[in-house]
Amino acid sequence: MAAALVKGQNGPLNVNDVVISVQIAAPADLSALLVTEHGKVRSDADFVFFNQPNGPGVKLQPGASGQPAALVISLAAVPADIEQIRAVVTLDEPGSNFGGIAPAVARVADTGGNTLFEYRIEGLQAESIVIALEVYRRQGSWKVRAVGQGYAGGFGALVTDHGVQVSESQSAAPAAAPAAQYAPAAGYPPPPPNPQFAPTGGYPPPAPAEFSPTVGYPTADPNEGYSAPGAYPPQGPGYPPQPQGSGYPPPPQGYPQQGYPPPPGYGSGPGQSPAPAADRDLPNNHAVSLVKGQRINLRKEGGAALTYVKMGLGWDPVKRGGMFGNRAPDVDLDASVVMFAGASPVDVVYYGSLASKDGSVRHQGDNLTGEGDGDDEVILVDLTRLPAQVTTLVFIVTSYKGHTFEQLANAFCRLVDGTNNAELARFTLPGGANFTAMAMAKVYRPNGSQEWKLEAIGEGFQAKHPGEAVPQLGRFLKI
């Protein structure tokens, strides 16, 4: 008798080969993504769909009459570095979504036709694509999990999350993506190439205690071995050396404040640009209020350097008056951090990839509205575990739906000591900027130094997605 799974639940696979099929009341396709422990495909050979029906250990075979093809998985033939096989259901008809049809049913069977597990995929609305199930390794054995993770943006949103870059001439359906190109080894997310590929629904925030730091899918098994909030995955192999130097002009400098003495002659000449304050250590008894361009050393006065910090970012939508009272726009901002080795980006931690490859940086999850007091999104950084090649972390905020910072108030970033949660420094942005992205701050070590510094940036630019932002960040790297 088949076991019925609910979303997040898993079960063991005690057979050598399994067949995944879907019963659905609309034209659809079934495909598979074979991903590593980082949640990314290795190459285009790890994407199995009807124009590329064979992959390593996975193949498509004709399904039941009027139903999508089925996935046949030979577990022993799956490469050792593939950790998960994600079964994806995509609706064929443009404009269709799962909310308009009866819930699909995903089945896992053995090759003899005996159904082992069934999962009724419920709770979807505007989504046109869903990761239905995943087959994954756990302590030397294979298991299956009911995922039910939908993507309102369709194929473009799905492949962006898995490191796939789709050209503008390709359709948003798997049928038109046989030659999909993949992101560079660094793995930072590519921008949606045109509005057709731009995700529209956003991504739900993960439940902090139940999500894998590198994958983000729920599990009902408390013994699955996922890290608790604040913990880090095992140390990765690090990054290859990257070329140094960027050739970009230095960022604008700001004004001294909060007990930082100005340099001689500050503001004394007509038209003279104010100079930044000298770099100082963090005071022991209060937080520093930073201004644009100001830099501080990440160590306490008379004490040791910081090792574990948190960058909290927050904002509030501006409320507008109207005949029905005050209402705020539905603004969805996303905080991300881009890791650079010299002038070369090597990794991005954002809502679609919540941990860096080496485990030194972790994102605590996506806030879709900015509602509530305090930090809206938090990024954790273990400075002791950053690879030696990483020289700069740039913290950015992008507007997923294209709202500008004119529609926001109280935007800020703050540095927090990760060992005791004490606020160390805060930078508040003035409102009214007509940009969809903002470089908030950077943490960097200059000229090969092992000592880290923080600089408040506060520069706006146009980007709705971390992938659109990365090529524009070079000008903030100059020290």
Side-chain angles (χ1 to χ4, degrees), residues 204-470:
E210 298 178 355
F211 278 71
S212 160
T214 57
V215 178
Y217 296 117
T219 174
D221 184 349
N223 299 314
E224 286 289 77
Y226 288 111
S227 300
Y232 288 86
Q235 175 71 32
Y239 299 104
Q242 301 290 335
Q244 301 294 318
S246 64
Y248 290 96
Q253 302 298 324
Y255 301 82
Q257 186 179 313
Q258 191 90 4
Y260 289 82
Y266 173 83
S268 59
Q272 179 178 342
S273 298
D279 301 351
R280 298 294 181 91
D281 293 349
L282 291 159
N284 291 312
N285 54 358
H286 67 274
V288 175
S289 179
L290 298 176
V291 294
K292 184 175 179 179
Q294 189 173 355
R295 300 191 295 246
I296 54 173
N297 301 318
L298 294 191
R299 63 172 181 262
K300 291 294 191 70
E301 289 180 341
L306 298 175
T307 58
Y308 176 47
V309 296
K310 303 178 182 179
M311 183 68 77
L313 300 106
W315 53 83
D316 293 313
V318 174
K319 292 186 176 181
R320 299 191 295 262
M323 62 184 301
F324 297 107
N326 289 336
R327 61 185 296 269
D330 183 17
V331 176
D332 177 12
L333 295 188
D334 300 305
S336 311
V337 58
V338 184
M339 304 168 66
F340 286 87
S344 300
V346 293
D347 206 351
V348 174
V349 178
Y350 72 118
Y351 57 82
S353 182
L354 296 176
S356 61
K357 294 186 293 292
D358 60 281
S360 62
V361 181
R362 280 195 60 205
H363 195 304
Q364 292 294 85
D366 188 17
N367 182 321
L368 298 178
T369 65
E371 293 294 333
D373 297 328
D375 301 327
D376 289 302
E377 295 187 13
V378 177
I379 298 173
L380 315 178
V381 181
D382 186 343
L383 295 171
T384 66
R385 297 186 63 184
L386 286 167
Q389 292 83 6
V390 172
T391 54
T392 307
L393 308 179
V394 181
F395 295 84
I396 63 173
V397 175
T398 51
S399 179
Y400 189 78
K401 298 180 180 179
H403 294 95
T404 69
F405 278 72
E406 294 172 312
Q407 297 167 283
L408 300 171
N410 306 320
F412 69 89
C413 64
R414 68 187 191 110
L415 185 74
V416 176
D417 189 336
T419 62
N420 57 16
N421 287 325
E423 181 174 312
L424 303 172
R426 178 181 288 258
F427 173 44
T428 301
L429 276 73
N434 186 25
F435 300 105
T436 58
M438 186 72 65
M440 302 287 282
K442 71 177 181 182
V443 170
Y444 68 101
R445 45 187 170 193
N447 302 322
S449 170
Q450 296 305 306
E451 293 189 354
W452 291 94
K453 297 176 179 286
L454 169 70
E455 179 177 332
I457 299 177
E459 287 288 324
F461 55 99
Q462 303 299 339
K464 297 191 293 183
H465 183 276
E468 294 177 336
V470 169

Side-chain angles (χ1 to χ4, degrees), residues 53-331:
N54 295 292
V58 181
K59 65 179 181 179
L60 283 175
Q61 70 176 20
S65 177
Q67 296 298 313
L71 288 168
V72 180
I73 305 174
S74 299
L75 299 175
V78 176
D81 56 344
I82 294 297
E83 292 290 322
Q84 299 170 349
I85 301 163
R86 298 176 181 172
V88 179
V89 182
T90 308
L91 296 178
D92 285 345
E93 296 180 353
S96 61
N97 58 62
F98 286 101
I101 61 174
V105 177
R107 292 189 174 91
V108 181
D110 61 22
T111 53
N114 301 304
T115 302
L116 307 175
F117 299 97
E118 284 190 351
Y119 169 41
R120 184 179 174 88
I121 310 171
E122 298 180 305
L124 301 176
Q125 294 297 327
E127 298 90 341
S128 60
I129 190 168
V130 62
I131 297 178
L133 299 165
E134 64 182 12
V135 173
Y136 65 102
R137 299 180 194 267
R138 181 65 61 213
Q139 298 178 348
S141 300
W142 287 96
K143 304 181 78 172
V144 62
R145 177 184 293 121
V147 178
Q149 176 70 52
Y151 289 77
F155 182 67
L158 175 74
V159 297
T160 298
D161 254 7
H162 290 83
V164 182
Q165 184 174 0
V166 182
S167 68
E168 292 189 19
S169 62
Q170 292 171 322
S171 165
Q181 299 299 312
Y182 287 80
Y188 58 87
N194 59 44
Q196 180 183 10
F197 290 115
T200 57
Y203 295 86
E210 298 178 355
F211 278 71
S212 160
T214 57
V215 178
Y217 296 117
T219 174
D221 184 349
N223 299 314
E224 286 289 77
Y226 288 111
S227 300
Y232 288 86
Q235 175 71 32
Y239 299 104
Q242 301 290 335
Q244 301 294 318
S246 64
Y248 290 96
Q253 302 298 324
Y255 301 82
Q257 186 179 313
Q258 191 90 4
Y260 289 82
Y266 173 83
S268 59
Q272 179 178 342
S273 298
D279 301 351
R280 298 294 181 91
D281 293 349
L282 291 159
N284 291 312
N285 54 358
H286 67 274
V288 175
S289 179
L290 298 176
V291 294
K292 184 175 179 179
Q294 189 173 355
R295 300 191 295 246
I296 54 173
N297 301 318
L298 294 191
R299 63 172 181 262
K300 291 294 191 70
E301 289 180 341
L306 298 175
T307 58
Y308 176 47
V309 296
K310 303 178 182 179
M311 183 68 77
L313 300 106
W315 53 83
D316 293 313
V318 174
K319 292 186 176 181
R320 299 191 295 262
M323 62 184 301
F324 297 107
N326 289 336
R327 61 185 296 269
D330 183 17
V331 176

